[in-house]
Amino acid sequence: MAKKSKKQQQSGGTPATVALSAAGVEFTVHAYEHDPSHPSYGEEAAEAMGVSPDRVFKTLVADVDGALVVGVVPVAGTLDLKALAAAVGGKRAAMADPTLAERTTGYVRGGISPLGQRKKLPTVLDDSALGHVTICVSAGRRGLEVELAPEDLAKLTGAVTAPVGRG
């Protein structure tokens, strides 16, 4: 897919692409037609883009000891809530209420990006991401992904890396 210019991204981009442009990070936008009947947003993205599911990461919001935390894990796996809690120094974690996650991040479920959130949340990136030159994450809406270096994602989100995905 073609890269968008900074001007295009700032004028018509999502908060995630605007944040990437403002930071001067190299990234590629991938758009595809979202199928509302598909059972998995992330797996749909991997299939539509022709990218291995281990390079496409989903953004999940969890409640760790009463505070919202973002976990970014491969779409083919699941989030290990116990490992997520440990990665941020917490004791217990559970998936966050979807409405609260949407309201806090400013994104809709299936389109939550770890970038450009309304309220920047502590983020944990699964350490498997570091084994790839680039990974894909939501660009802030269903049917739109950004591909970038995992190190850039970690830097921009302030993420810690830890083994929080289960495959």
Side-chain angles (χ1 to χ4, degrees), residues 9-10 12-29 59 105-107 111-118 137-141 144-148 152-153 156-157:
Q9 291 157 352
Q10 289 169 343
T14 65
T17 60
V18 170
L20 287 165
S21 294
V25 169
E26 207 171 295
F27 66 99
T28 305
V29 175
T59 306
T105 64
Y107 294 118
I112 294 178
S113 177
L115 299 156
Q117 296 173 355
R118 181 178 292 147
V137 296
S138 176
R141 69 171 185 256
L144 195 66
E145 296 277 313
V146 290
E147 181 176 351
L148 74 164
D152 288 337
L153 177 63
L156 289 175
T157 59

PDB file of all heavy atoms in Angstrom, residues 9-10 12-29 59 105-107 111-118 137-141 144-148 152-153 156-157:
ATOM      1  N   GLN A   9      -2.193  12.904   6.009  1.00  0.00           N
ATOM      2  CA  GLN A   9      -2.526  12.257   7.258  1.00  0.00           C
ATOM      3  C   GLN A   9      -3.048  13.262   8.275  1.00  0.00           C
ATOM      4  O   GLN A   9      -3.961  12.964   9.025  1.00  0.00           O
ATOM      5  CB  GLN A   9      -1.304  11.535   7.806  1.00  0.00           C
ATOM      6  CG  GLN A   9      -0.951  10.336   6.952  1.00  0.00           C
ATOM      7  CD  GLN A   9       0.477   9.940   7.107  1.00  0.00           C
ATOM      8  OE1 GLN A   9       1.272  10.622   7.736  1.00  0.00           O
ATOM      9  NE2 GLN A   9       0.831   8.835   6.499  1.00  0.00           N
ATOM     10  N   GLN A  10      -2.476  14.444   8.301  1.00  0.00           N
ATOM     11  CA  GLN A  10      -2.910  15.422   9.286  1.00  0.00           C
ATOM     12  C   GLN A  10      -4.279  15.993   8.942  1.00  0.00           C
ATOM     13  O   GLN A  10      -5.052  16.309   9.820  1.00  0.00           O
ATOM     14  CB  GLN A  10      -1.864  16.527   9.416  1.00  0.00           C
ATOM     15  CG  GLN A  10      -0.614  16.014  10.097  1.00  0.00           C
ATOM     16  CD  GLN A  10       0.550  16.974  10.035  1.00  0.00           C
ATOM     17  OE1 GLN A  10       0.572  17.895   9.236  1.00  0.00           O
ATOM     18  NE2 GLN A  10       1.541  16.743  10.875  1.00  0.00           N
ATOM     19  N   GLY A  12      -6.747  14.379   6.996  1.00  0.00           N
ATOM     20  CA  GLY A  12      -7.830  13.420   6.956  1.00  0.00           C
ATOM     21  C   GLY A  12      -7.527  12.156   7.712  1.00  0.00           C
ATOM     22  O   GLY A  12      -8.200  11.159   7.559  1.00  0.00           O
ATOM     23  N   GLY A  13      -6.503  12.169   8.539  1.00  0.00           N
ATOM     24  CA  GLY A  13      -6.099  10.967   9.244  1.00  0.00           C
ATOM     25  C   GLY A  13      -6.853  10.778  10.540  1.00  0.00           C
ATOM     26  O   GLY A  13      -7.672  11.591  10.953  1.00  0.00           O
ATOM     27  N   THR A  14      -6.558   9.669  11.157  1.00  0.00           N
ATOM     28  CA  THR A  14      -7.099   9.379  12.483  1.00  0.00           C
ATOM     29  C   THR A  14      -6.138   9.963  13.520  1.00  0.00           C
ATOM     30  O   THR A  14      -5.006  10.316  13.175  1.00  0.00           O
ATOM     31  CB  THR A  14      -7.195   7.856  12.686  1.00  0.00           C
ATOM     32  OG1 THR A  14      -5.875   7.309  12.682  1.00  0.00           O
ATOM     33  CG2 THR A  14      -8.043   7.193  11.602  1.00  0.00           C
ATOM     34  N   PRO A  15      -6.545  10.036  14.769  1.00  0.00           N
ATOM     35  CA  PRO A  15      -5.597  10.497  15.789  1.00  0.00           C
ATOM     36  C   PRO A  15      -4.310   9.667  15.802  1.00  0.00           C
ATOM     37  O   PRO A  15      -3.231  10.199  16.064  1.00  0.00           O
ATOM     38  CB  PRO A  15      -6.382  10.346  17.093  1.00  0.00           C
ATOM     39  CG  PRO A  15      -7.819  10.534  16.677  1.00  0.00           C
ATOM     40  CD  PRO A  15      -7.903   9.872  15.322  1.00  0.00           C
ATOM     41  N   ALA A  16      -4.404   8.381  15.473  1.00  0.00           N
ATOM     42  CA  ALA A  16      -3.210   7.523  15.444  1.00  0.00           C
ATOM     43  C   ALA A  16      -2.260   7.941  14.331  1.00  0.00           C
ATOM     44  O   ALA A  16      -1.051   8.073  14.564  1.00  0.00           O
ATOM     45  CB  ALA A  16      -3.614   6.061  15.268  1.00  0.00           C
ATOM     46  N   THR A  17      -2.767   8.159  13.124  1.00  0.00           N
ATOM     47  CA  THR A  17      -1.886   8.537  12.013  1.00  0.00           C
ATOM     48  C   THR A  17      -1.361   9.953  12.187  1.00  0.00           C
ATOM     49  O   THR A  17      -0.227  10.240  11.818  1.00  0.00           O
ATOM     50  CB  THR A  17      -2.576   8.381  10.641  1.00  0.00           C
ATOM     51  OG1 THR A  17      -3.738   9.204  10.586  1.00  0.00           O
ATOM     52  CG2 THR A  17      -2.946   6.926  10.367  1.00  0.00           C
ATOM     53  N   VAL A  18      -2.157  10.822  12.771  1.00  0.00           N
ATOM     54  CA  VAL A  18      -1.696  12.185  13.048  1.00  0.00           C
ATOM     55  C   VAL A  18      -0.546  12.146  14.061  1.00  0.00           C
ATOM     56  O   VAL A  18       0.464  12.826  13.897  1.00  0.00           O
ATOM     57  CB  VAL A  18      -2.863  13.082  13.537  1.00  0.00           C
ATOM     58  CG1 VAL A  18      -2.354  14.418  14.059  1.00  0.00           C
ATOM     59  CG2 VAL A  18      -3.867  13.299  12.412  1.00  0.00           C
ATOM     60  N   ALA A  19      -0.683  11.297  15.099  1.00  0.00           N
ATOM     61  CA  ALA A  19       0.371  11.170  16.104  1.00  0.00           C
ATOM     62  C   ALA A  19       1.657  10.635  15.485  1.00  0.00           C
ATOM     63  O   ALA A  19       2.752  11.111  15.788  1.00  0.00           O
ATOM     64  CB  ALA A  19      -0.089  10.260  17.245  1.00  0.00           C
ATOM     65  N   LEU A  20       1.532   9.661  14.588  1.00  0.00           N
ATOM     66  CA  LEU A  20       2.708   9.113  13.915  1.00  0.00           C
ATOM     67  C   LEU A  20       3.381  10.166  13.050  1.00  0.00           C
ATOM     68  O   LEU A  20       4.602  10.295  13.050  1.00  0.00           O
ATOM     69  CB  LEU A  20       2.320   7.898  13.065  1.00  0.00           C
ATOM     70  CG  LEU A  20       1.996   6.637  13.854  1.00  0.00           C
ATOM     71  CD1 LEU A  20       1.284   5.622  12.963  1.00  0.00           C
ATOM     72  CD2 LEU A  20       3.252   6.040  14.454  1.00  0.00           C
ATOM     73  N   SER A  21       2.585  10.911  12.311  1.00  0.00           N
ATOM     74  CA  SER A  21       3.141  11.962  11.453  1.00  0.00           C
ATOM     75  C   SER A  21       3.841  13.035  12.277  1.00  0.00           C
ATOM     76  O   SER A  21       4.937  13.469  11.940  1.00  0.00           O
ATOM     77  CB  SER A  21       2.040  12.613  10.613  1.00  0.00           C
ATOM     78  OG  SER A  21       1.519  11.696   9.693  1.00  0.00           O
ATOM     79  N   ALA A  22       3.194  13.447  13.364  1.00  0.00           N
ATOM     80  CA  ALA A  22       3.768  14.495  14.214  1.00  0.00           C
ATOM     81  C   ALA A  22       5.105  14.049  14.816  1.00  0.00           C
ATOM     82  O   ALA A  22       5.998  14.864  15.019  1.00  0.00           O
ATOM     83  CB  ALA A  22       2.785  14.864  15.325  1.00  0.00           C
ATOM     84  N   ALA A  23       5.233  12.739  15.062  1.00  0.00           N
ATOM     85  CA  ALA A  23       6.465  12.211  15.644  1.00  0.00           C
ATOM     86  C   ALA A  23       7.541  11.954  14.593  1.00  0.00           C
ATOM     87  O   ALA A  23       8.673  11.638  14.931  1.00  0.00           O
ATOM     88  CB  ALA A  23       6.171  10.921  16.404  1.00  0.00           C
ATOM     89  N   GLY A  24       7.163  12.077  13.318  1.00  0.00           N
ATOM     90  CA  GLY A  24       8.127  11.848  12.242  1.00  0.00           C
ATOM     91  C   GLY A  24       8.496  10.384  12.051  1.00  0.00           C
ATOM     92  O   GLY A  24       9.551  10.065  11.511  1.00  0.00           O
ATOM     93  N   VAL A  25       7.613   9.500  12.483  1.00  0.00           N
ATOM     94  CA  VAL A  25       7.849   8.062  12.389  1.00  0.00           C
ATOM     95  C   VAL A  25       7.453   7.558  11.004  1.00  0.00           C
ATOM     96  O   VAL A  25       6.423   7.961  10.456  1.00  0.00           O
ATOM     97  CB  VAL A  25       7.045   7.323  13.484  1.00  0.00           C
ATOM     98  CG1 VAL A  25       7.052   5.829  13.272  1.00  0.00           C
ATOM     99  CG2 VAL A  25       7.596   7.667  14.852  1.00  0.00           C
ATOM    100  N   GLU A  26       8.259   6.649  10.473  1.00  0.00           N
ATOM    101  CA  GLU A  26       7.940   6.047   9.186  1.00  0.00           C
ATOM    102  C   GLU A  26       6.879   4.968   9.389  1.00  0.00           C
ATOM    103  O   GLU A  26       7.004   4.112  10.265  1.00  0.00           O
ATOM    104  CB  GLU A  26       9.202   5.413   8.600  1.00  0.00           C
ATOM    105  CG  GLU A  26       9.180   5.343   7.095  1.00  0.00           C
ATOM    106  CD  GLU A  26      10.519   4.906   6.541  1.00  0.00           C
ATOM    107  OE1 GLU A  26      11.501   5.644   6.692  1.00  0.00           O
ATOM    108  OE2 GLU A  26      10.546   3.808   5.972  1.00  0.00           O
ATOM    109  N   PHE A  27       5.810   5.040   8.596  1.00  0.00           N
ATOM    110  CA  PHE A  27       4.742   4.049   8.705  1.00  0.00           C
ATOM    111  C   PHE A  27       4.009   3.951   7.372  1.00  0.00           C
ATOM    112  O   PHE A  27       4.118   4.823   6.517  1.00  0.00           O
ATOM    113  CB  PHE A  27       3.760   4.405   9.825  1.00  0.00           C
ATOM    114  CG  PHE A  27       2.963   5.665   9.579  1.00  0.00           C
ATOM    115  CD1 PHE A  27       1.667   5.618   9.090  1.00  0.00           C
ATOM    116  CD2 PHE A  27       3.514   6.912   9.857  1.00  0.00           C
ATOM    117  CE1 PHE A  27       0.940   6.782   8.877  1.00  0.00           C
ATOM    118  CE2 PHE A  27       2.796   8.087   9.645  1.00  0.00           C
ATOM    119  CZ  PHE A  27       1.503   8.014   9.155  1.00  0.00           C
ATOM    120  N   THR A  28       3.268   2.858   7.224  1.00  0.00           N
ATOM    121  CA  THR A  28       2.455   2.631   6.036  1.00  0.00           C
ATOM    122  C   THR A  28       1.023   2.390   6.475  1.00  0.00           C
ATOM    123  O   THR A  28       0.784   1.648   7.438  1.00  0.00           O
ATOM    124  CB  THR A  28       2.972   1.403   5.251  1.00  0.00           C
ATOM    125  OG1 THR A  28       4.353   1.592   4.956  1.00  0.00           O
ATOM    126  CG2 THR A  28       2.208   1.203   3.958  1.00  0.00           C
ATOM    127  N   VAL A  29       0.077   2.996   5.795  1.00  0.00           N
ATOM    128  CA  VAL A  29      -1.342   2.801   6.080  1.00  0.00           C
ATOM    129  C   VAL A  29      -1.879   1.704   5.160  1.00  0.00           C
ATOM    130  O   VAL A  29      -1.612   1.716   3.958  1.00  0.00           O
ATOM    131  CB  VAL A  29      -2.138   4.110   5.865  1.00  0.00           C
ATOM    132  CG1 VAL A  29      -3.634   3.868   6.041  1.00  0.00           C
ATOM    133  CG2 VAL A  29      -1.655   5.189   6.821  1.00  0.00           C
ATOM    134  N   THR A  59      -5.188  -4.485  19.943  1.00  0.00           N
ATOM    135  CA  THR A  59      -5.080  -3.606  21.103  1.00  0.00           C
ATOM    136  C   THR A  59      -6.237  -3.926  22.039  1.00  0.00           C
ATOM    137  O   THR A  59      -7.399  -3.763  21.668  1.00  0.00           O
ATOM    138  CB  THR A  59      -5.156  -2.127  20.656  1.00  0.00           C
ATOM    139  OG1 THR A  59      -4.165  -1.892  19.662  1.00  0.00           O
ATOM    140  CG2 THR A  59      -4.956  -1.190  21.832  1.00  0.00           C
ATOM    141  N   THR A 105     -10.402   5.731  25.363  1.00  0.00           N
ATOM    142  CA  THR A 105      -9.434   5.806  24.259  1.00  0.00           C
ATOM    143  C   THR A 105      -9.888   6.731  23.138  1.00  0.00           C
ATOM    144  O   THR A 105      -9.059   7.234  22.382  1.00  0.00           O
ATOM    145  CB  THR A 105      -9.157   4.418  23.650  1.00  0.00           C
ATOM    146  OG1 THR A 105     -10.366   3.908  23.066  1.00  0.00           O
ATOM    147  CG2 THR A 105      -8.597   3.461  24.689  1.00  0.00           C
ATOM    148  N   GLY A 106     -11.207   6.918  23.000  1.00  0.00           N
ATOM    149  CA  GLY A 106     -11.731   7.715  21.897  1.00  0.00           C
ATOM    150  C   GLY A 106     -11.926   6.911  20.621  1.00  0.00           C
ATOM    151  O   GLY A 106     -12.219   7.474  19.566  1.00  0.00           O
ATOM    152  N   TYR A 107     -11.767   5.603  20.719  1.00  0.00           N
ATOM    153  CA  TYR A 107     -11.911   4.720  19.558  1.00  0.00           C
ATOM    154  C   TYR A 107     -13.022   3.706  19.807  1.00  0.00           C
ATOM    155  O   TYR A 107     -13.347   3.403  20.953  1.00  0.00           O
ATOM    156  CB  TYR A 107     -10.617   3.937  19.312  1.00  0.00           C
ATOM    157  CG  TYR A 107      -9.433   4.773  18.900  1.00  0.00           C
ATOM    158  CD1 TYR A 107      -8.287   4.830  19.689  1.00  0.00           C
ATOM    159  CD2 TYR A 107      -9.434   5.480  17.699  1.00  0.00           C
ATOM    160  CE1 TYR A 107      -7.180   5.572  19.300  1.00  0.00           C
ATOM    161  CE2 TYR A 107      -8.329   6.228  17.309  1.00  0.00           C
ATOM    162  CZ  TYR A 107      -7.212   6.265  18.106  1.00  0.00           C
ATOM    163  OH  TYR A 107      -6.117   7.002  17.711  1.00  0.00           O
ATOM    164  N   GLY A 111     -11.433  -1.066  16.587  1.00  0.00           N
ATOM    165  CA  GLY A 111     -10.647  -0.012  15.963  1.00  0.00           C
ATOM    166  C   GLY A 111      -9.801   0.740  16.975  1.00  0.00           C
ATOM    167  O   GLY A 111      -9.292   1.813  16.700  1.00  0.00           O
ATOM    168  N   ILE A 112      -9.662   0.168  18.180  1.00  0.00           N
ATOM    169  CA  ILE A 112      -8.860   0.834  19.208  1.00  0.00           C
ATOM    170  C   ILE A 112      -7.390   0.728  18.829  1.00  0.00           C
ATOM    171  O   ILE A 112      -6.880  -0.352  18.588  1.00  0.00           O
ATOM    172  CB  ILE A 112      -9.115   0.243  20.606  1.00  0.00           C
ATOM    173  CG1 ILE A 112     -10.559   0.536  21.046  1.00  0.00           C
ATOM    174  CG2 ILE A 112      -8.119   0.807  21.627  1.00  0.00           C
ATOM    175  CD1 ILE A 112     -10.949  -0.046  22.391  1.00  0.00           C
ATOM    176  N   SER A 113      -6.743   1.861  18.762  1.00  0.00           N
ATOM    177  CA  SER A 113      -5.323   1.918  18.437  1.00  0.00           C
ATOM    178  C   SER A 113      -4.535   2.196  19.711  1.00  0.00           C
ATOM    179  O   SER A 113      -5.018   2.912  20.593  1.00  0.00           O
ATOM    180  CB  SER A 113      -5.051   3.040  17.425  1.00  0.00           C
ATOM    181  OG  SER A 113      -3.670   3.139  17.156  1.00  0.00           O
ATOM    182  N   PRO A 114      -3.311   1.662  19.794  1.00  0.00           N
ATOM    183  CA  PRO A 114      -2.477   2.020  20.936  1.00  0.00           C
ATOM    184  C   PRO A 114      -1.931   3.441  20.816  1.00  0.00           C
ATOM    185  O   PRO A 114      -1.373   3.986  21.759  1.00  0.00           O
ATOM    186  CB  PRO A 114      -1.350   0.986  20.888  1.00  0.00           C
ATOM    187  CG  PRO A 114      -1.282   0.547  19.466  1.00  0.00           C
ATOM    188  CD  PRO A 114      -2.678   0.675  18.925  1.00  0.00           C
ATOM    189  N   LEU A 115      -2.125   4.063  19.648  1.00  0.00           N
ATOM    190  CA  LEU A 115      -1.594   5.396  19.346  1.00  0.00           C
ATOM    191  C   LEU A 115      -2.710   6.434  19.312  1.00  0.00           C
ATOM    192  O   LEU A 115      -3.814   6.148  18.862  1.00  0.00           O
ATOM    193  CB  LEU A 115      -0.902   5.378  17.981  1.00  0.00           C
ATOM    194  CG  LEU A 115       0.286   4.423  17.868  1.00  0.00           C
ATOM    195  CD1 LEU A 115       0.509   4.034  16.431  1.00  0.00           C
ATOM    196  CD2 LEU A 115       1.509   5.078  18.474  1.00  0.00           C
ATOM    197  N   GLY A 116      -2.416   7.646  19.746  1.00  0.00           N
ATOM    198  CA  GLY A 116      -3.367   8.750  19.617  1.00  0.00           C
ATOM    199  C   GLY A 116      -4.621   8.612  20.456  1.00  0.00           C
ATOM    200  O   GLY A 116      -5.670   9.133  20.092  1.00  0.00           O
ATOM    201  N   GLN A 117      -4.523   7.938  21.569  1.00  0.00           N
ATOM    202  CA  GLN A 117      -5.693   7.761  22.429  1.00  0.00           C
ATOM    203  C   GLN A 117      -6.084   9.071  23.101  1.00  0.00           C
ATOM    204  O   GLN A 117      -5.233   9.906  23.384  1.00  0.00           O
ATOM    205  CB  GLN A 117      -5.403   6.697  23.489  1.00  0.00           C
ATOM    206  CG  GLN A 117      -5.165   5.333  22.903  1.00  0.00           C
ATOM    207  CD  GLN A 117      -4.720   4.309  23.940  1.00  0.00           C
ATOM    208  OE1 GLN A 117      -4.501   4.630  25.105  1.00  0.00           O
ATOM    209  NE2 GLN A 117      -4.580   3.077  23.503  1.00  0.00           N
ATOM    210  N   ARG A 118      -7.368   9.221  23.359  1.00  0.00           N
ATOM    211  CA  ARG A 118      -7.871  10.417  24.041  1.00  0.00           C
ATOM    212  C   ARG A 118      -7.170  10.593  25.379  1.00  0.00           C
ATOM    213  O   ARG A 118      -6.745  11.680  25.739  1.00  0.00           O
ATOM    214  CB  ARG A 118      -9.383  10.281  24.244  1.00  0.00           C
ATOM    215  CG  ARG A 118     -10.013  11.476  24.915  1.00  0.00           C
ATOM    216  CD  ARG A 118     -11.515  11.324  25.046  1.00  0.00           C
ATOM    217  NE  ARG A 118     -12.130  11.367  23.720  1.00  0.00           N
ATOM    218  CZ  ARG A 118     -13.221  10.695  23.373  1.00  0.00           C
ATOM    219  NH1 ARG A 118     -13.829   9.927  24.250  1.00  0.00           N
ATOM    220  NH2 ARG A 118     -13.725  10.808  22.168  1.00  0.00           N
ATOM    221  N   VAL A 137      -0.814  -2.522  13.529  1.00  0.00           N
ATOM    222  CA  VAL A 137      -1.778  -2.286  14.604  1.00  0.00           C
ATOM    223  C   VAL A 137      -2.897  -1.422  14.039  1.00  0.00           C
ATOM    224  O   VAL A 137      -2.747  -0.795  12.981  1.00  0.00           O
ATOM    225  CB  VAL A 137      -1.147  -1.585  15.838  1.00  0.00           C
ATOM    226  CG1 VAL A 137      -0.093  -2.465  16.493  1.00  0.00           C
ATOM    227  CG2 VAL A 137      -0.578  -0.237  15.491  1.00  0.00           C
ATOM    228  N   SER A 138      -3.996  -1.358  14.749  1.00  0.00           N
ATOM    229  CA  SER A 138      -5.114  -0.542  14.284  1.00  0.00           C
ATOM    230  C   SER A 138      -4.698   0.918  14.145  1.00  0.00           C
ATOM    231  O   SER A 138      -3.982   1.459  14.987  1.00  0.00           O
ATOM    232  CB  SER A 138      -6.292  -0.633  15.259  1.00  0.00           C
ATOM    233  OG  SER A 138      -7.337   0.241  14.846  1.00  0.00           O
ATOM    234  N   ALA A 139      -5.186   1.525  13.087  1.00  0.00           N
ATOM    235  CA  ALA A 139      -4.922   2.945  12.857  1.00  0.00           C
ATOM    236  C   ALA A 139      -6.028   3.807  13.450  1.00  0.00           C
ATOM    237  O   ALA A 139      -6.038   5.013  13.255  1.00  0.00           O
ATOM    238  CB  ALA A 139      -4.786   3.219  11.362  1.00  0.00           C
ATOM    239  N   GLY A 140      -6.966   3.184  14.145  1.00  0.00           N
ATOM    240  CA  GLY A 140      -7.986   3.975  14.820  1.00  0.00           C
ATOM    241  C   GLY A 140      -9.394   3.809  14.296  1.00  0.00           C
ATOM    242  O   GLY A 140     -10.312   4.469  14.760  1.00  0.00           O
ATOM    243  N   ARG A 141      -9.578   2.911  13.330  1.00  0.00           N
ATOM    244  CA  ARG A 141     -10.936   2.578  12.917  1.00  0.00           C
ATOM    245  C   ARG A 141     -10.908   1.217  12.242  1.00  0.00           C
ATOM    246  O   ARG A 141      -9.878   0.760  11.763  1.00  0.00           O
ATOM    247  CB  ARG A 141     -11.558   3.645  12.030  1.00  0.00           C
ATOM    248  CG  ARG A 141     -10.990   3.789  10.660  1.00  0.00           C
ATOM    249  CD  ARG A 141     -11.867   4.755   9.832  1.00  0.00           C
ATOM    250  NE  ARG A 141     -11.383   4.813   8.481  1.00  0.00           N
ATOM    251  CZ  ARG A 141     -10.681   5.808   7.971  1.00  0.00           C
ATOM    252  NH1 ARG A 141     -10.406   6.857   8.708  1.00  0.00           N
ATOM    253  NH2 ARG A 141     -10.267   5.753   6.730  1.00  0.00           N
ATOM    254  N   LEU A 144      -8.741  -0.180   8.952  1.00  0.00           N
ATOM    255  CA  LEU A 144      -7.571   0.668   8.737  1.00  0.00           C
ATOM    256  C   LEU A 144      -6.465   0.259   9.715  1.00  0.00           C
ATOM    257  O   LEU A 144      -6.685   0.243  10.923  1.00  0.00           O
ATOM    258  CB  LEU A 144      -7.928   2.142   8.940  1.00  0.00           C
ATOM    259  CG  LEU A 144      -6.936   3.168   8.406  1.00  0.00           C
ATOM    260  CD1 LEU A 144      -6.871   3.120   6.879  1.00  0.00           C
ATOM    261  CD2 LEU A 144      -7.337   4.571   8.859  1.00  0.00           C
ATOM    262  N   GLU A 145      -5.307  -0.098   9.166  1.00  0.00           N
ATOM    263  CA  GLU A 145      -4.166  -0.528   9.971  1.00  0.00           C
ATOM    264  C   GLU A 145      -2.953   0.322   9.625  1.00  0.00           C
ATOM    265  O   GLU A 145      -2.867   0.858   8.516  1.00  0.00           O
ATOM    266  CB  GLU A 145      -3.822  -2.002   9.666  1.00  0.00           C
ATOM    267  CG  GLU A 145      -4.899  -2.989  10.035  1.00  0.00           C
ATOM    268  CD  GLU A 145      -4.887  -3.385  11.499  1.00  0.00           C
ATOM    269  OE1 GLU A 145      -3.804  -3.691  12.034  1.00  0.00           O
ATOM    270  OE2 GLU A 145      -5.955  -3.383  12.122  1.00  0.00           O
ATOM    271  N   VAL A 146      -2.025   0.434  10.569  1.00  0.00           N
ATOM    272  CA  VAL A 146      -0.740   1.062  10.289  1.00  0.00           C
ATOM    273  C   VAL A 146       0.339   0.015  10.510  1.00  0.00           C
ATOM    274  O   VAL A 146       0.259  -0.793  11.435  1.00  0.00           O
ATOM    275  CB  VAL A 146      -0.443   2.323  11.144  1.00  0.00           C
ATOM    276  CG1 VAL A 146      -1.321   3.472  10.743  1.00  0.00           C
ATOM    277  CG2 VAL A 146      -0.552   2.054  12.616  1.00  0.00           C
ATOM    278  N   GLU A 147       1.329   0.055   9.640  1.00  0.00           N
ATOM    279  CA  GLU A 147       2.484  -0.825   9.743  1.00  0.00           C
ATOM    280  C   GLU A 147       3.667   0.034  10.134  1.00  0.00           C
ATOM    281  O   GLU A 147       3.930   1.061   9.499  1.00  0.00           O
ATOM    282  CB  GLU A 147       2.734  -1.507   8.397  1.00  0.00           C
ATOM    283  CG  GLU A 147       3.887  -2.467   8.392  1.00  0.00           C
ATOM    284  CD  GLU A 147       4.039  -3.178   7.064  1.00  0.00           C
ATOM    285  OE1 GLU A 147       3.155  -3.068   6.189  1.00  0.00           O
ATOM    286  OE2 GLU A 147       5.080  -3.860   6.897  1.00  0.00           O
ATOM    287  N   LEU A 148       4.369  -0.370  11.198  1.00  0.00           N
ATOM    288  CA  LEU A 148       5.503   0.399  11.687  1.00  0.00           C
ATOM    289  C   LEU A 148       6.455  -0.517  12.434  1.00  0.00           C
ATOM    290  O   LEU A 148       6.115  -1.659  12.743  1.00  0.00           O
ATOM    291  CB  LEU A 148       5.045   1.546  12.582  1.00  0.00           C
ATOM    292  CG  LEU A 148       4.542   1.212  13.997  1.00  0.00           C
ATOM    293  CD1 LEU A 148       4.527   2.476  14.840  1.00  0.00           C
ATOM    294  CD2 LEU A 148       3.158   0.604  13.974  1.00  0.00           C
ATOM    295  N   ASP A 152       9.386   1.687  17.307  1.00  0.00           N
ATOM    296  CA  ASP A 152       8.725   2.996  17.209  1.00  0.00           C
ATOM    297  C   ASP A 152       7.406   2.993  17.972  1.00  0.00           C
ATOM    298  O   ASP A 152       7.076   3.961  18.660  1.00  0.00           O
ATOM    299  CB  ASP A 152       8.491   3.383  15.749  1.00  0.00           C
ATOM    300  CG  ASP A 152       9.772   3.760  15.023  1.00  0.00           C
ATOM    301  OD1 ASP A 152      10.753   4.147  15.689  1.00  0.00           O
ATOM    302  OD2 ASP A 152       9.782   3.679  13.776  1.00  0.00           O
ATOM    303  N   LEU A 153       6.661   1.893  17.865  1.00  0.00           N
ATOM    304  CA  LEU A 153       5.402   1.798  18.596  1.00  0.00           C
ATOM    305  C   LEU A 153       5.661   1.873  20.101  1.00  0.00           C
ATOM    306  O   LEU A 153       4.990   2.618  20.815  1.00  0.00           O
ATOM    307  CB  LEU A 153       4.673   0.495  18.250  1.00  0.00           C
ATOM    308  CG  LEU A 153       3.374   0.252  19.014  1.00  0.00           C
ATOM    309  CD1 LEU A 153       2.334   1.329  18.683  1.00  0.00           C
ATOM    310  CD2 LEU A 153       2.826  -1.134  18.713  1.00  0.00           C
ATOM    311  N   LEU A 156       6.682   5.520  21.093  1.00  0.00           N
ATOM    312  CA  LEU A 156       5.593   6.511  21.048  1.00  0.00           C
ATOM    313  C   LEU A 156       4.530   6.294  22.118  1.00  0.00           C
ATOM    314  O   LEU A 156       3.905   7.248  22.564  1.00  0.00           O
ATOM    315  CB  LEU A 156       4.931   6.510  19.672  1.00  0.00           C
ATOM    316  CG  LEU A 156       5.764   7.099  18.544  1.00  0.00           C
ATOM    317  CD1 LEU A 156       5.053   6.943  17.217  1.00  0.00           C
ATOM    318  CD2 LEU A 156       6.053   8.566  18.815  1.00  0.00           C
ATOM    319  N   THR A 157       4.297   5.048  22.511  1.00  0.00           N
ATOM    320  CA  THR A 157       3.282   4.764  23.503  1.00  0.00           C
ATOM    321  C   THR A 157       3.858   4.699  24.913  1.00  0.00           C
ATOM    322  O   THR A 157       3.098   4.600  25.883  1.00  0.00           O
ATOM    323  CB  THR A 157       2.575   3.423  23.208  1.00  0.00           C
ATOM    324  OG1 THR A 157       3.546   2.375  23.208  1.00  0.00           O
ATOM    325  CG2 THR A 157       1.829   3.465  21.883  1.00  0.00           C
TER     326      THR A 157
END
